[in-house]
Amino acid sequence: SQQGEEDPQALSIQEGENATMNCSYKTSINNLQWYRQNSGRGLVHLILIRSNEREKHSGRLRVTLDTSKKSSSLLITASRAADTASYFCATGSGGSYIPTFGRGTSLIVHP
Amino acid sequence: AAGVIQSPRHLIKEKRETATLKCYPIPRHDTVYWYQQGPGQDPQFLISFYEKMQSDKGSIPDRFSAQQFSDYHSELNMSSLELGDSALYFCASSLGFVETQYFGPGTRLLVL
């Protein structure tokens, strides 16, 4: 069964706006990662947040993790057309290093 | 910096044919993972190898097999192909078992 569920499934914004994507999961996790995938291409790792962390920043990216609500959010500030991609969250749990991916959010940033 | 290399990038096969996908990990990476991503779907883990031994097994069909060679490259062998095998197949690599994997560009397989 799927671990991560992204919300919304699709997001369309204008360049310069902020984009927020959410991920909910079902079981306890050790870490949560966010990946970006440009259309039909490889996955690019964006950021990893561990279960004992609440917030993490990387450039224009801000990730939060709320383990009590079993959810995470990815905020992209001042979006650019080049941010157009699908964004996946992936959880790691137990002793496994295999991430379990959610369905992804398709983000379109209009120039 | 060198990335994960996958070949071929595109492959078209007929039903019941076989296909072999290759993955060359980042130099010095000893762990390789295979994922399958169907159209509009999330990546699903298939199988992984560490130091040439199978380490984890996911939703890999019995018709598929894989191995990791002495130079750490890996091959995914797919037999009796079905229409539903049409997907993007990703390989990822890492140095040991760590949370962050580095993904290749993928091989797009189309089964007709």
Side-chain angles (χ1 to χ4, degrees):
Chain A
S1 62
Q2 217 152 13
Q3 172 73 315
E5 293 288 341
E6 263 92 347
D7 167 47
Q9 291 190 344
L11 184 59
S12 181
I13 60 175
Q14 293 296 130
E15 211 165 30
E17 293 181 337
N18 295 340
T20 299
M21 288 160 272
N22 303 297
C23 168
S24 60
Y25 55 91
K26 298 173 183 172
T27 63
S28 297
I29 62 170
N30 296 328
N31 63 76
L32 186 144
Q33 303 182 67
W34 284 91
Y35 286 84
R36 183 185 74 226
Q37 182 180 34
N38 290 84
S39 180
R41 303 184 70 174
L43 291 151
V44 175
H45 181 261
L46 295 177
I47 200 164
L48 177 150
I49 187 165
R50 299 188 188 283
S51 58
N52 61 351
E53 298 175 307
R54 291 295 166 259
E55 190 171 310
K56 214 162 180 182
H57 296 255
S58 177
R60 294 184 294 113
L61 306 180
R62 174 180 162 239
V63 168
T64 62
L65 179 64
D66 188 335
T67 53
S68 65
K69 294 181 180 177
K70 291 187 168 60
S71 69
S72 172
S73 68
L74 170 67
L75 168 67
I76 304 174
T77 60
S79 63
R80 305 166 183 168
D83 295 328
T84 294
S86 290
Y87 291 82
F88 292 87
C89 72
T91 56
S93 58
S96 174
Y97 287 98
I98 307 300
T100 301
F101 286 87
R103 285 217 185 274
T105 292
S106 175
L107 172 67
I108 297 175
V109 182
H110 299 279
Chain B
V4 176
I5 297 172
Q6 290 188 247
S7 69
R9 294 293 310 278
H10 299 88
L11 190 57
I12 299 175
K13 290 286 184 178
E14 300 276 339
K15 279 197 312 183
R16 292 180 287 277
E17 285 191 322
T18 61
T20 297
L21 309 185
K22 297 184 179 183
C23 168
Y24 298 87
I26 290 172
R28 292 189 298 280
H29 280 192
D30 51 14
T31 309
V32 168
Y33 314 80
W34 286 97
Y35 294 84
Q36 177 193 58
Q37 185 180 28
Q41 303 294 313
D42 52 292
Q44 294 287 322
F45 170 70
L46 293 178
I47 196 167
S48 64
F49 293 88
Y50 169 68
E51 281 292 341
K52 293 153 278 185
M53 300 285 288
Q54 181 184 308
S55 56
D56 282 284
K57 197 170 183 179
S59 52
I60 184 169
D62 292 340
R63 299 176 289 107
F64 295 5
S65 65
Q67 58 181 324
Q68 186 180 32
F69 295 85
S70 57
D71 63 351
Y72 297 106
H73 93 273
S74 178
E75 295 182 5
L76 177 66
N77 299 295
M78 312 160 72
S79 62
S80 302
L81 287 168
E82 302 173 356
L83 297 179
D85 296 328
S86 295
L88 198 51
Y89 289 84
F90 289 110
C91 169
S93 76
S94 64
L95 180 60
F97 290 112
V98 293
E99 298 98 341
T100 301
Q101 302 167 15
Y102 295 87
F103 283 77
T107 293
R108 184 171 295 281
L109 172 66
L110 178 60
V111 182
L112 302 174

